[in-house]
Amino acid sequence: MTRLVQRKSFSRLALRFAILTAVRSGEVRGASWDEIDVDAKLWTIPKERMKASREHVIPLSKPALSIIMRCQELRIGSRSLIFPGAKGDAPMSDMTLTKLLREMNRDIDQVPNPSRTPPIRRRPDPGPDTTERCRQRPYKPATVSM
């Protein structure tokens, strides 16, 4: 992750964001500004973009939010995508992340898919929301009944 932090590009930010949020690269590449609620620290992916055809709400950690803020600073015009591709408002190519990893001397043959590695193996303290994220269920805050 240290070498990834040292690189300066939207692809670097996208890969770090995918790792931190434990979602597929396609969802990250298609992430748009209207899906992010900075105040609530949530990213809501509409069901139309999800493989399971269900809305997916992802709590955003401080490092993930810092990536969003950095992308806001780098935002070009009124582009709707957080991680834009090279051509207009088109999404970043699926090969962009593969190229990034190859440049970092990784030998891979496919686009990285963080969902293939459970977050609990990537994070020392997975927190209470890990199970819900792994199952791609909508995030629902706990309620206490008295």
Side-chain angles (χ1 to χ4, degrees), residues 1-20 28-29 63 66-71 73-74 82-84 92-93 96-101 103-104 112:
M1 187 74 99
T2 303
R3 291 184 64 203
L4 191 55
V5 172
Q6 293 169 348
R7 299 184 59 90
K8 305 292 182 203
S9 66
F10 274 114
S11 59
R12 162 193 74 90
L13 294 168
L15 182 57
R16 286 188 61 218
F17 193 74
I19 292 167
L20 291 167
V28 170
R29 291 183 292 108
S66 70
I67 290 171
I68 295 296
M69 295 301 143
R70 181 63 180 143
C71 288
E73 293 169 7
L74 299 172
I82 297 170
F83 306 101
M92 181 182 296
S93 162
T96 303
L97 300 181
T98 301
K99 181 181 177 203
L100 171 62
L101 290 174
E103 288 173 357
M104 295 175 61

Side-chain angles (χ1 to χ4, degrees), residues 21-136:
T21 57
V23 299
R24 291 177 175 85
S25 62
E27 276 102 26
V28 170
R29 291 183 292 108
S32 63
W33 290 108
D34 61 342
E35 297 172 355
I36 302 292
D37 184 342
V38 175
D39 297 328
K41 300 177 184 174
L42 295 173
W43 173 25
T44 305
I45 306 173
K47 65 181 181 180
E48 296 79 26
R49 291 202 320 107
M50 291 300 299
K51 185 175 182 179
S53 297
R54 290 191 317 228
E55 182 179 81
H56 190 178
V57 181
I58 301 159
L60 297 173
S61 64
K62 286 181 184 179
L65 280 171
S66 70
I67 290 171
I68 295 296
M69 295 301 143
R70 181 63 180 143
C71 288
Q72 180 68 37
E73 293 169 7
L74 299 172
R75 191 172 182 182
I76 301 166
S78 61
R79 289 188 176 181
S80 63
L81 296 175
I82 297 170
F83 306 101
K87 298 178 181 176
D89 203 22
M92 181 182 296
S93 162
D94 61 344
M95 290 304 294
T96 303
L97 300 181
T98 301
K99 181 181 177 203
L100 171 62
L101 290 174
R102 284 187 180 141
E103 288 173 357
M104 295 175 61
N105 297 321
R106 303 276 190 221
D107 185 22
I108 63 162
D109 293 324
Q110 61 189 31
V111 173
N113 188 343
S115 65
R116 302 239 186 250
T117 305
I120 199 161
R121 291 180 58 199
R122 292 194 308 269
R123 278 176 62 185
D125 178 22
D129 59 341
T130 300
T131 303
E132 292 302 314
R133 281 199 315 241
C134 288
R135 294 181 181 158
Q136 292 191 0

